[in-house]
Amino acid sequence: MRIDIILQDRFSTHFRETSNIGPVLGWEMQMMRAQAHYATNISNVQDLAIFATIVEAGSLSKAARELNLSLAMVSKRLSKLEELLGVRLIARSTRSLSTTESGQHFYEQCRDILHGIQLAERQLQSRQTEVSGTLTITSSTSFARLFLASIIYDFQVLRPQVSIRLLEDDGIVSLIDAGVDLAIRQAVLPSSSLIAVAIASDHRIVCASPGYIAKTGPLRSPDDIAAHNSIVFGMPPIVDWVLSDGKETKTVTVDWRMSTRSGDATTAAAIAGAGLVYSSTWAVRQALEEGKLVNMLPAWRSPVRSIYAVYPSRSFQTPLLSEFVKFLTKRAREYERRYRADLESLAPGLESLITELDDPALQAAAPPS
């Protein structure tokens, strides 16, 4: 290193005293100095991203699809990286691949480097005053379909320079690992480093289709639920249905006949007449308004829970993220106020249906259960 510095100083002095190519060589000397300080065989960070994607995808072909590159290109870049490093990173066979011990260690380092680059880029973007760029959001399928997709469109009308990637997933997505900027969560959040902003409130109600009620009869109280077919949702499924009328709280453990991992599938099964569902009011509002589902116990509902906008840390709160969260919160609370009024107006519909079902003529015409 000492010899390099001496040579650089001599060259710099020599060319400052002679021709006009001095500034060019001066720049080259600076590059030599930088390379000496950050010496590496890897000249393209994209090779690190390709390698990390291969490890996470579990196959070259899947990684190629995710990266929108040809399989041949992905394989070539991996081989070139291994050649540069002089070590086998991934053990490949005709049917599978796995990381070597060195490859696993290198992957963990690559992941930290790539996350560091992403953080540097986002922090740089946060210094800009213009609201622009790409936002990656994840939410449940039903929330995305019934509410979030239209909110995104309305936001983009105001901010046409913004791109938004919406990932619908009824599971819990790791924000950091999936590269997600914002998650909408309708669940109790564990203690973590995540930042959570309550954007609206929610509760669950017990619903069924008019057809199901016609066959089995209405519910008079939560105690009647155990005798009915139930559709449950979640992994693990929610089998303890907690309901309160403001005076007392009851917990009913259901013996379910169908379990799903999708809120939309749960609602569809209930509309088809498969049984009772214990669903978020946000998920069943449309079906209630269309008369496809009925709130079976209007006076009873689950305890209130919050809907959260969640992001990794304040370091990631770019102007785009901040403005979208404010926009989303405003629209969610407006929607919630309208929905409360609509839900109350729908309650008399069940009383009317119960009156019809109590009609002896209708009972005689109803199909046997």
Coordinates of all heavy atoms in Angstrom, one line a residue, residues 119-132 314-320:
L119 N -31.5 0.0 1.9 CA -31.7 1.1 2.9 C -31.0 2.4 2.5 O -31.6 3.4 2.7 CB -31.1 0.6 4.2 CG -31.1 1.6 5.4 CD1 -32.6 2.0 5.7 CD2 -30.5 1.0 6.6
A120 N -29.8 2.3 1.9 CA -29.1 3.5 1.5 C -30.0 4.2 0.4 O -30.1 5.5 0.4 CB -27.7 3.2 1.0
E121 N -30.5 3.5 -0.5 CA -31.3 4.1 -1.6 C -32.6 4.7 -1.1 O -33.0 5.8 -1.5 CB -31.6 3.0 -2.6 CG -30.5 2.5 -3.5 CD -30.8 1.4 -4.4 OE1 -31.9 0.8 -4.3 OE2 -30.0 1.2 -5.4
R122 N -33.2 4.0 -0.1 CA -34.5 4.5 0.4 C -34.3 5.8 1.3 O -35.0 6.7 1.2 CB -35.2 3.5 1.2 CG -35.7 2.3 0.3 CD -36.4 1.3 1.1 NE -36.8 0.2 0.2 CZ -37.5 -0.9 0.6 NH1 -37.9 -1.0 1.9 NH2 -37.9 -1.8 -0.2
Q123 N -33.2 5.8 2.0 CA -32.9 6.9 2.8 C -32.5 8.1 1.9 O -32.9 9.3 2.2 CB -31.7 6.7 3.8 CG -32.1 5.7 4.9 CD -30.9 5.4 5.9 OE1 -29.8 5.5 5.5 NE2 -31.3 5.1 7.1
L124 N -31.9 7.8 0.8 CA -31.6 8.9 -0.2 C -32.9 9.4 -0.8 O -33.1 10.7 -0.9 CB -30.7 8.4 -1.3 CG -30.3 9.4 -2.3 CD1 -29.4 10.5 -1.7 CD2 -29.4 8.7 -3.4
Q125 N -33.8 8.5 -1.1 CA -35.1 8.9 -1.6 C -35.9 9.8 -0.6 O -36.6 10.7 -1.0 CB -35.9 7.7 -2.1 CG -35.3 7.0 -3.3 CD -36.0 5.7 -3.6 OE1 -36.9 5.3 -2.8 NE2 -35.6 5.0 -4.6
S126 N -35.7 9.4 0.7 CA -36.5 10.1 1.7 C -36.1 11.6 1.8 O -36.8 12.4 2.4 CB -36.3 9.4 3.1 OG -35.0 9.6 3.5
R127 N -34.9 11.9 1.3 CA -34.5 13.3 1.3 C -35.1 14.1 0.2 O -35.0 15.4 0.2 CB -32.9 13.4 1.1 CG -32.2 12.7 2.3 CD -30.7 12.7 2.0 NE -29.9 12.0 3.1 CZ -29.4 12.6 4.1 NH1 -29.6 13.9 4.2 NH2 -28.7 12.0 5.0
Q128 N -35.7 13.5 -0.7 CA -36.3 14.2 -1.8 C -37.7 14.6 -1.4 O -38.4 14.0 -0.7 CB -36.4 13.3 -3.1 CG -35.1 12.7 -3.5 CD -35.2 11.7 -4.6 OE1 -36.4 11.3 -5.0 NE2 -34.1 11.3 -5.2
T129 N -38.1 15.8 -1.9 CA -39.4 16.3 -1.5 C -40.5 15.8 -2.4 O -41.7 15.8 -2.1 CB -39.4 17.9 -1.6 OG1 -39.0 18.3 -2.9 CG2 -38.4 18.4 -0.6
E130 N -40.2 15.4 -3.6 CA -41.2 14.9 -4.6 C -41.7 13.5 -4.2 O -40.9 12.7 -3.9 CB -40.6 14.9 -6.0 CG -41.6 14.5 -7.0 CD -41.0 14.4 -8.4 OE1 -39.8 14.6 -8.5 OE2 -41.7 14.1 -9.4
V131 N -43.0 13.4 -4.2 CA -43.6 12.1 -3.9 C -43.6 11.3 -5.1 O -44.4 11.5 -6.0 CB -45.0 12.2 -3.3 CG1 -45.6 10.9 -3.0 CG2 -44.9 13.0 -2.0
S132 N -42.7 10.3 -5.3 CA -42.6 9.5 -6.5 C -41.9 8.2 -6.1 O -41.5 8.0 -5.0 CB -41.8 10.2 -7.6 OG -40.5 10.5 -7.1
R314 N -38.8 3.5 11.0 CA -38.9 4.9 10.6 C -37.9 5.3 9.6 O -38.1 6.3 8.8 CB -38.8 5.9 11.8 CG -39.9 5.6 12.8 CD -40.1 6.8 13.8 NE -41.1 6.5 14.8 CZ -42.4 6.6 14.6 NH1 -42.9 7.0 13.5 NH2 -43.3 6.2 15.6
S315 N -36.8 4.5 9.5 CA -35.8 4.8 8.5 C -36.3 4.6 7.1 O -35.8 5.1 6.1 CB -34.6 3.8 8.7 OG -34.0 4.0 10.0
F316 N -37.4 3.8 6.9 CA -38.0 3.5 5.6 C -39.2 4.4 5.3 O -39.8 4.2 4.3 CB -38.4 2.0 5.6 CG -37.3 1.0 5.6 CD1 -36.7 0.6 6.7 CD2 -36.8 0.6 4.4 CE1 -35.7 -0.3 6.7 CE2 -35.8 -0.3 4.3 CZ -35.2 -0.8 5.5
Q317 N -39.5 5.3 6.2 CA -40.7 6.2 5.9 C -40.3 7.3 5.0 O -40.0 8.4 5.3 CB -41.2 6.7 7.2 CG -42.6 7.3 7.1 CD -43.2 7.7 8.4 OE1 -42.5 7.7 9.4 NE2 -44.4 8.1 8.4
T318 N -40.4 7.0 3.7 CA -40.1 7.9 2.6 C -41.3 8.9 2.5 O -42.4 8.6 3.0 CB -40.0 7.2 1.3 OG1 -41.2 6.5 1.0 CG2 -38.8 6.2 1.4
P319 N -41.2 10.0 1.8 CA -42.4 10.9 1.6 C -43.5 10.1 0.9 O -44.7 10.4 1.3 CB -41.8 12.0 0.7 CG -40.4 12.1 1.1 CD -40.0 10.6 1.3
L320 N -43.2 9.2 0.0 CA -44.3 8.5 -0.6 C -45.0 7.6 0.4 O -46.3 7.6 0.4 CB -43.7 7.6 -1.7 CG -44.6 6.5 -2.4 CD1 -45.8 7.2 -2.9 CD2 -43.8 5.7 -3.4

